Structure formats: C-alpha cells, structure tokens
Amino acid sequence: EAKRSGRDSYAFFTAKAAALMQERLAIEKELRVALSEQTLNLLYQPLFSLRDGTIVGAEALVRWRHPTMGDIPPGKFIGIAEDAGLISELGQFVLERAVTETAALVRDSSDLRIAVNVSVLQLEDPTFANRIEACLARADFPLDRLEIEITESVAMRDSDVVQRQIVDLRRAGVHFSLDDFGTGYSNLSMLARLPVDTLKIDRSLVAGIHHSVEQQAIVRTILALSQSMGFASIVEGVEAAEERDFVIAAGADIAQGFFFSRPVSFDMLKGMQLTRALSRVTDRSENGVGR
Ligand code: C2E
Ligand code: MG
Ligand code: MG
Ligand code: MG
C-alpha cells in the first residue's frame, strides 16, 4: 500500500514536472517568435520625489501579450530567456526601445531618468558597455539619464568582465542602482564595495510596514545606512497611503509603487510628466508632501 501511494505521488510529480517542462519549452519557442517579430512592449512605472511629488524618473518594464496565451508576466519568462540564451537579445530590445521612445522627453526635462533592468548574463558580454554607448548615441539619449538596475548577485559578481562593464559605463556617466535591496544575504561590509549609486529597497520590506514595528526598524535602518554611505534610495512597492506616510517620515527621497502609479504606456508617462499636478502624492496627502 505504502509502495503504491509512493509510486502514485512519483507519477504525480513527474506529470507535473513534465507539464512544467512543456510550458517552459512553449514559452521559449514563442519568445523567439516574439523577439524576431518585435511584438514585446514596454510600460513605464514613474518614480516620484517624496519632497515635491514630481516625477523624477521611470522604470521600463517589459510586457508580453501573446496572441493565444494572453499576458505572460516577466517573472515567468525572464528566467527562461536567461536559460535559453535569449536574454541579451531581449535586453537589447528593451534598451533600444526605451531610449528611442523616451529620448525627446528626457532631453526636454531637466531631471527625468529612465531605468532599465539588466541581467548578469548581459554584463558577462564584454561588448555590452560599448553597445549601450552606441545605442544611446544613435538615439541622442544623454548617458547620465540612464539608470541600470542590477541585483546584489550581479553587483558582487566575482567576474572581471562584469566589473569592467560596470566601471566603464559609470565612468561614461551611466547610473547604477541595486534592485530588490534587502532580499539578498550579503554581509553589510559588501555595501562599501557596491558599484552603484542608488539602493532600491524591495517591496517585501514595505508591504504592510505600518503594521510591523520590525519592518519599520529595518527600513529606517536601511535608509539611515544608505544615506550615511552616500547612496540615494528608492522605496519600491508603496501601495497604501499609510506606507507612503511611513517612508516619508523615515527619510526616503523617492518612491515607486501602485499607490502613486501602476506601470503605464509611454504616452501616459508623457502626459503625467507634462501635467505634474496629477501626482497622487499631492492629492492624497493631508499635510502636503515634504519634510
Ligand atoms: P523589478 O525590477 O523589481 O520591478 C518592479 C516590479 O514590481 C514590477 O513587476 C512592477 O510592476 C511591480 N510593482 C511596482 N510597484 C508595485 C506595487 O506597489 N505593488 C506590487 N505588488 N508590485 C509592484 P513586473 O513588471 O512584473 O516585473 C517583475 C520583475 O521582472 C522585475 O522586478 C524585474 O526583475 C523583471 N523584469 C521586468 N522587465 C525586465 C526587463 O526588461 N529585463 C529584465 N532583465 N528583467 C525585467
Ligand atoms: Mg527593477
Ligand atoms: Mg525592483
Ligand atoms: Mg523587485
């Protein structure tokens, strides 16, 4: 009996694994099509200054609407793109689309920055930095208005190629930020060696922060540490007015999250940027924003 149920759960496991494998293969195959037909799209999630409610930047986020499978979230296909050797092509598409689409808007505004997410595999390519610089030059996009988001594992990657790409780009004026900060396992001494300008505090630390004194202590400490080490900080995933109020009181400068705005089309971003007054920062705050 025990043997039999063991075999059943094994059969169940393999069926599930096979289904997963099949889905991955389908996604990989369809992703190749989407890349060659350039049917992926970008949305932009605005970043808001907590001092005055203005939009100071936007993060480009890739979107894939498949004709029959519907919307496939990046969380589902980025990892597959990495495994299938497609991430450089995908990353190049995202970068090119983002800078060509936003170049004029960026040039017309004094402080707007565009952030793109970059995978470690892209940085392992020794031609990455040169290709980025060429791409920005073609689009007439100023180097110092690009923000590259990397993760802790990338920043600490013990790879000469990766480190050199980062150093070259930073020297050229490109900004780097550390995404999902607070979710990794590095010791704090790594902070001194991080090749980034900005820490983006992960939304898991912010969700429900007004209910948790522990989270409050963590975020306050990270913000203080970040400031004393000379990093700028961005708080991700602010969904509620109470969360916004807390991060303002804790000294955060910039925030991003559904409370302020979901990711939007480029046209909407442009509209929001032009009519700065629309920011929900000012709408929702009783005492006005600022410290
Ligand atoms: P990320 O870089 O940390 O991007 C932020 C993610 O959090 C986005 O999800 C965004 O829609 C979501 N988000 C923003 N504010 C809130 C909020 O208030 N509440 C909640 N629940 N979520 C919020 P998205 O677009 O699904 O992207 C997921 C991840 O996929 C990104 O996390 C990033 O790691 C990756 N990704 C997205 N686009 C690209 C890309 O072009 N290239 C690469 N390599 N990775 C990408
Ligand atoms: Mg990001
Ligand atoms: Mg993030
Ligand atoms: Mg994240």
Side-chain angles (χ1 to χ4, degrees), residues 42 45 59-63 73-75 78 82 87 90-91 94 116-119 122 149 151 179-180 200 202-203 236-239 243 256-259 261-263:
L42 299 188
Q45 188 175 29
E59 177 176 5
L61 295 161
V62 69
R63 289 292 178 268
I78 293 293
E82 287 176 338
I87 195 68
L90 188 151
V94 168
V116 294
N117 294 283
V118 165
S119 152
Q122 292 176 261
E149 298 193 3
T151 57
D179 212 346
D180 307 332
K200 294 191 76 172
D202 193 68
R203 72 182 156 88
E236 294 192 281
V238 176
E239 291 186 353
E243 294 166 355
Q256 174 181 6
F258 294 171
F259 176 76
S261 170
R262 298 221 164 218

Side-chain angles (χ1 to χ4, degrees), residues 50-181:
L50 292 171
R51 283 172 214 279
D52 57 14
T54 57
I55 294 174
V56 294
E59 177 176 5
L61 295 161
V62 69
R63 289 292 178 268
W64 182 13
R65 175 160 294 172
H66 186 275
T68 57
M69 297 196 275
D71 288 330
I72 306 175
K76 205 160 185 174
F77 66 84
I78 293 293
I80 295 176
E82 287 176 338
D83 293 345
L86 296 171
I87 195 68
S88 281
E89 193 183 342
L90 188 151
Q92 189 66 22
F93 168 82
V94 168
L95 186 83
E96 247 169 66
R97 171 67 67 87
V99 301
T100 50
E101 205 160 46
T102 64
L105 180 67
V106 162
R107 287 194 306 267
D108 286 349
S109 65
S110 56
D111 51 8
L112 193 71
R113 267 201 217 141
I114 302 298
V116 294
N117 294 283
V118 165
S119 152
V120 67
L121 298 175
Q122 292 176 261
L123 284 156
E124 289 282 10
D125 176 351
T127 67
F128 179 76
N130 283 336
R131 282 191 296 113
I132 287 209
E133 290 180 41
C135 175
L136 267 56
R138 275 196 304 276
D140 194 12
F141 186 105
L143 283 157
D144 63 353
R145 302 298 194 83
L146 179 68
E147 184 99 32
I148 290 184
E149 298 193 3
I150 57 177
T151 57
E152 213 168 281
S153 60
V154 182
M156 298 313 290
R157 185 89 155 190
D158 188 17
S159 149
D160 289 345
V161 177
V162 170
Q163 296 303 326
R164 190 156 38 78
Q165 304 303 304
I166 297 177
V167 168
D168 284 356
L169 285 166
R170 293 186 79 201
R171 219 172 259 154
V174 174
H175 294 258
F176 275 75
S177 50
L178 191 70
D179 212 346
D180 307 332
F181 185 72

